[in-house]
Amino acid sequence: MTQTLEAAADEQADRTGPPNPAPRVRRWARLEFDNWALLLLPLLGFLTLVFVIPLLLLLSKSFTDPAVGLANYSDILTNPLYLKVLRNTFVTAITVTLVTVVIAFPFAYLMTLATPFWRGVMMIAVLIPFWTSLLVRSFALVLLLRDTGVINTVLDSVGVIDEPIPMLRHLSGVMFGMVQITLPFAVLPLYATMRTIDRRLLLAAESLGARPSVAFWKVFVPLTIPGVFAGLILVFIQALGYYITPALLGGPQNTMIGQLIVEQVSTVLKFGFAAALAVVLLGSTLILLAIASRFVDMKKYLMGSK
Amino acid sequence: MTRTLTRVLLGVIAALTVCYLLLPILIVIPMSFSDSSFLNFPPEGLSGRWYQRLIDDPTWLHSAATSMRVALVSTVCAVVLGVLAALGLVRGRFPFRGGITALILAPVIVPYVIVGLSVYIVFLRIGLTETTLGLVLVHTALAVPYVTINVASGLVSFDRNIELAAQSLGSGPVSTFFRITLPNIAPSVFAGAVFAFVTSWDEVVTAIFLTGPRMTTLPVRIWSGVKVQVDPTVAAISALSLFVILAAFLALGAGKLLQKALRAYRSRNVPNVIGVQA
């Protein structure tokens, strides 16, 4: 489907119009509002109650709890411990994002080249983890990465290592796990973009004398940029907000902002401070999305093939 | 030559990536049948004792039942709200289309930690923490975008002339919806429902905020189990949780196949009286 949902919807509305266009409907239609639109109200009302209002209260709490003012925010910005968590969150998220997209790119590219059978196999390999429990996958990664885990046992038994490589509670473990979990979010938009690229363009470039590698880098890669960009943003947003995976795989050195939020609520009961951290996290997420949506239609990619 | 080499290299990369994607999930299943009390690899012997232990422990069953209840109710709520909203979104004329779509998609974008914290603060005040209702409300919000988007794309590709035909034959709007529209978009409704179910069944982050000793879901039980120690019981329950998700997707696949078969059957057997192309 090349057109966006919205455009298609508009088109359909224009084509068929409201059923039985009575005069009353026509009057509403002039205000660009009709009876069909009323069907949106239950969901909008519901989301307002359980989503929008709680978020607004969270925002207000960050400025008012325990006292009115900017104390919570200045706490974040002045305490080196919290600054370290913020820096760590962004550094980890950026690294995870880059590694993920670098691994996803050749994989998605190969999906466009593969025979239908192998493409199916690759697609299933992407979709199964996409839809299986994040928690179970993180737990499985613990089983893989432990000192007595699968990777170390296998490496030891084939004689590559004498001592287990410490991965769990280290940055390497967090990276291994987070990339595993975010990989489908990069593969799906990349594949969606690459699939629509006309491969005859490559042939044209080659017939005009470009070597295959030149044709690939100068013709194919630039055309994949919307997909790359969508993948980068989706993975980065995911990575910024993760709680479960870094909490299970990382050590105290790798604390991310999600963990700090939960800790502030569950152990020290500093709701206002946790709210301020959440506002910082949400603000970063929304700013990134706003920037991204200027360049690509994020809505098209957001759902992947979920 | 270099091209062949590149392809071989790409093939190796792809094979490694497939392993990387699937290995963690596949590892859980053999581990859960381990004979020993430690999750060593490879398992020394096979046994079902960890599954037996799950069955014997009523608290696991209880939290699994809670998860199932929350997931089923959330799915129903998400489907009702999502189908209505999809109809409005695709067919309605209204201002701020972009903003409204963004609001409906927002629960997918906002990190679950933030959703969990914000509803926790509100629910704490109105006494909805540690209740099925509280969790259902949040999971419905998290699941509804999947239903709305699936159904909306189903509606876009649905030919509305069939509806107009029904209405010209005297069918009212409600009966048109249930007898014409719904059967036609049923596959996308069903797909949305499966995604909604899986979203709730799996969800742990907001559940960590909203559950407690009085009420716990399966993922939260797994979560607290993993944090304390890496135990074969957790591997067994994780494997079971995976089987539920797998079953949901198998149902989705079976539904699609069934629909195809039905279509083929109908187009073969129904006499084409009015000359409509099937």
Side-chain angles (χ1 to χ4, degrees):
Chain A
M1 187 166 69
T2 46
Q3 50 185 174
T4 64
L5 205 59
E6 214 175 285
D10 284 343
E11 199 179 274
Q12 181 159 6
D14 288 344
R15 201 170 52 235
T16 49
N20 304 328
R24 188 175 53 85
V25 178
R26 284 216 187 102
R27 201 172 63 238
W28 281 105
R30 266 206 302 276
L31 298 167
E32 292 188 42
F33 185 87
D34 64 12
N35 289 344
W36 284 109
L38 293 177
L39 295 177
L40 279 164
L41 289 181
L43 180 56
L44 294 181
F46 177 79
L47 286 179
T48 307
L49 283 180
V50 299
F51 188 75
V52 177
I53 290 176
L55 281 179
L56 291 176
L57 287 176
L58 187 78
L59 182 67
S60 86
K61 197 151 195 106
S62 74
F63 293 109
T64 54
D65 183 68
V68 177
L70 292 168
N72 289 321
Y73 291 94
S74 66
D75 266 4
I76 299 175
L77 294 175
T78 50
N79 189 326
L81 198 71
Y82 301 142
L83 281 179
K84 184 169 172 275
V85 171
L86 277 186
R87 200 184 58 227
N88 191 43
T89 305
F90 278 90
V91 170
T92 310
I94 289 169
T95 326
V96 164
T97 308
L98 294 178
V99 174
T100 305
V101 172
V102 165
I103 295 177
F105 194 92
F107 190 78
Y109 178 62
L110 206 73
M111 277 176 80
T112 64
L113 296 182
T115 58
F117 173 78
W118 287 109
R119 187 184 304 141
V121 171
M122 291 168 88
M123 193 44 124
I124 288 170
V126 173
L127 289 180
I128 288 179
F130 197 47
W131 275 106
T132 49
S133 165
L134 182 84
L135 181 60
V136 171
R137 287 157 76 195
S138 303
F139 167 65
L141 286 160
V142 174
L143 297 180
L144 278 178
L145 298 169
R146 282 192 305 166
D147 284 357
T148 56
V150 178
I151 293 179
N152 275 318
T153 314
V154 170
L155 287 180
D156 187 36
S157 62
V158 296
V160 180
I161 52 166
D162 298 322
E163 276 185 16
I165 311 169
M167 287 176 287
L168 204 60
R169 312 263 159 246
H170 279 78
L171 189 60
S172 57
V174 179
M175 293 291 301
F176 187 92
M178 286 180 67
V179 172
Q180 203 272 346
I181 281 161
T182 51
L183 203 46
F185 290 95
V187 172
L188 291 173
L190 274 171
Y191 173 66
T193 308
M194 288 179 184
R195 199 180 47 182
T196 61
I197 295 175
D198 191 342
R199 297 198 65 83
R200 285 174 302 182
L201 292 172
L202 286 166
L203 291 176
E206 285 175 37
S207 76
L208 293 170
R211 283 187 294 126
S213 60
V214 174
F216 178 77
W217 288 106
K218 293 217 158 162
V219 176
F220 187 80
V221 173
L223 288 171
T224 62
I225 283 177
V228 173
F229 206 71
L232 286 172
I233 292 295
L234 285 181
V235 172
F236 191 67
I237 288 171
Q238 295 278 325
L240 271 187
Y242 266 137
Y243 165 64
I244 296 294
T245 314
L248 269 186
L249 302 177
Q253 289 300 309
N254 321 107
T255 305
M256 290 181 67
I257 194 165
Q259 292 163 268
L260 191 59
I261 291 173
V262 175
E263 187 188 298
Q264 292 299 313
V265 173
S266 60
T267 58
V268 285
L269 298 174
K270 282 164 75 175
F271 283 88
F273 184 67
L277 286 168
V279 171
V280 170
L281 175 57
L282 185 60
S284 329
T285 308
L286 292 182
I287 289 169
L288 276 165
L289 258 181
I291 296 171
S293 62
R294 295 188 72 94
F295 298 99
V296 278
D297 177 16
M298 292 308 290
K299 207 160 61 254
K300 206 167 73 191
Y301 296 107
L302 215 54
M303 289 292 156
S305 46
K306 274 193 180 186
Chain B
M1 181 58 211
T2 45
R3 178 162 275 197
T4 327
L5 199 68
T6 321
R7 296 244 163 138
V8 169
L9 198 69
L10 276 172
V12 173
I13 292 173
L16 285 174
T17 314
V18 169
C19 289
Y20 183 36
L21 283 165
L22 291 183
L23 202 64
I25 300 163
L26 296 180
I27 213 100
V28 172
I29 295 162
M31 291 292 219
S32 68
F33 288 103
S34 163
D35 193 17
S36 79
S37 314
F38 308 100
L39 279 166
N40 287 330
F41 185 84
E44 283 138 32
L46 295 178
S47 85
R49 57 191 270 217
W50 304 110
Y51 287 91
Q52 188 60 48
R53 183 189 264 201
L54 284 179
I55 295 165
D56 293 342
D57 184 347
T59 61
W60 281 108
L61 283 177
H62 193 254
S63 40
T66 307
S67 273
M68 189 53 86
R69 195 169 58 236
V70 170
L72 289 175
V73 181
S74 307
T75 304
V76 172
C77 298
V79 165
V80 172
L81 290 172
V83 169
L84 289 177
L87 282 165
L89 207 56
V90 172
R91 298 180 173 179
R93 287 165 183 276
F94 53 90
F96 313 116
R97 184 175 280 277
I100 286 172
T101 315
L103 174 62
I104 293 171
L105 291 180
V108 181
I109 301 155
V110 174
Y112 281 11
V113 171
I114 298 177
V115 179
L117 174 64
S118 62
V119 291
Y120 179 58
I121 290 173
V122 175
F123 286 4
L124 209 53
R125 214 177 290 171
I126 56 179
L128 275 180
T129 54
E130 290 193 62
T131 62
T132 306
L133 176 65
L135 213 50
V136 164
L137 289 175
V138 178
H139 282 182
T140 302
L142 297 179
V144 94
Y146 299 113
V147 180
T148 314
I149 293 305
N150 263 297
V151 176
S153 54
L155 279 172
V156 167
S157 55
F158 164 63
D159 184 2
R160 274 187 72 189
N161 288 324
I162 306 173
E163 273 182 8
L164 296 178
Q167 291 188 333
S168 74
L169 295 169
S171 169
V174 174
S175 110
T176 307
F177 174 75
F178 281 106
R179 299 180 67 171
I180 306 292
T181 318
L182 196 57
N184 273 286
I185 59 165
S188 29
V189 177
F190 186 59
V194 169
F195 296 142
F197 176 84
V198 171
T199 302
S200 170
W201 173 259
D202 245 10
E203 202 285 322
V204 57
V205 179
T206 66
I208 287 175
F209 283 99
L210 294 177
T211 58
R214 284 187 289 133
M215 194 205 73
T216 303
T217 59
L218 198 60
V220 178
R221 278 296 306 269
I222 298 177
W223 168 245
S224 36
V226 181
K227 271 201 309 184
V228 179
Q229 61 177 104
V230 182
D231 179 294
T233 328
V234 177
I237 196 72
S238 301
L240 279 178
S241 176
L242 280 184
F243 292 141
V244 171
I245 293 168
L246 212 63
F249 280 100
L250 282 179
L252 184 61
K256 276 197 177 143
L257 281 179
L258 191 72
Q259 199 222 351
K260 251 188 199 166
L262 266 176
R263 253 191 208 154
Y265 178 78
R266 277 191 199 140
S267 63
R268 219 180 25 236
N269 285 307
V270 176
N272 203 345
V273 201
I274 45 172
V276 175
Q277 288 293 309

